[in-house]
Structures are given as C-alpha cells and as structure tokens.
C-alpha cells in the first residue's frame, strides 16, 4: 500500500484553512510542520505540540479569535 502524508492547517478563518503540503514520508511531513510552527507567530512556549502524533495546537486554551492547529493525516495513494 502506497501512502502519502497530508499536512493540514486549521485557522480561525476558513479562508486560511487548508492543505499545506503532501509528503511521501512521515518524517518529511513532520519537518514541514516544524518549519511552519517556527514561522507562525501564534505558537509559543504554551503551545501543545506532539510530532509523534502529528498534531499541534497554537493555543491550548483555545481562543476563537486567533488560533492555528496543524494535523498530519496518513492517506492511501490513489
């Protein structure tokens, strides 16, 4: 089974949501997620980040007005 790893961002505004990259390996998707987090001003020492699970949350207290979450999903290639 050939798999791809889709890195998705969820933001407070649906216009900013969407796929950020599609990678052939989990490690590539995690590396891209790390780069996005590094350059995202919404992330801080209080952010919840779990690279092993492929999930990050900019504000664990959840502010409806300003947040950014990243997810990595494994999908089968078509």
């Amino acid at each position: 089974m050939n798999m791809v790893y889709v890195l998705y961002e969820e933001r407070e505004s649906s216009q900013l949501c969407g796929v950020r990259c599609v990678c052939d390996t989990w490690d590539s998707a995690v590396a891209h997620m790390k780069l996005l987090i590094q350059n995202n001003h919404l992330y801080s020492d209080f952010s919840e980040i779990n690279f092993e699970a492929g999930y990050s949350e900019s504000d664990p207290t959840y502010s409806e007005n300003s947040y950014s979450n990243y997810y990595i999903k494994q999908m089968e290639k078509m």
Side-chain angles (χ1 to χ4, degrees):
M1 208 178 338
N2 287 336
M3 304 304 280
V4 293
Y5 302 89
V6 179
L7 175 58
Y8 180 83
E9 181 180 16
E10 176 186 294
R11 286 240 181 179
E12 69 280 354
S13 169
S14 63
Q15 293 144 344
L16 296 173
C17 293
V19 173
R20 295 296 170 232
C21 76
V22 178
C23 300
D24 287 334
T25 67
W26 177 268
D27 291 338
S28 294
V30 169
H32 195 79
M33 179 190 262
K34 287 179 181 179
L35 185 62
L36 289 172
I37 289 170
Q38 230 174 20
N39 294 309
N40 187 329
H41 73 280
L42 296 174
Y43 279 80
S44 70
D45 292 337
F46 299 106
S47 299
E48 186 175 313
I49 301 169
N50 185 334
F51 294 120
E52 289 180 6
Y55 173 79
S56 69
E57 192 173 349
S58 64
D59 182 1
T61 60
Y62 184 73
S63 167
E64 272 190 42
N65 298 322
S66 185
Y67 71 91
S68 171
N69 299 337
Y70 296 110
Y71 308 91
I72 299 174
K73 302 216 184 247
Q74 178 179 304
M75 303 179 87
E76 190 175 351
K77 274 186 186 177
M78 304 284 262

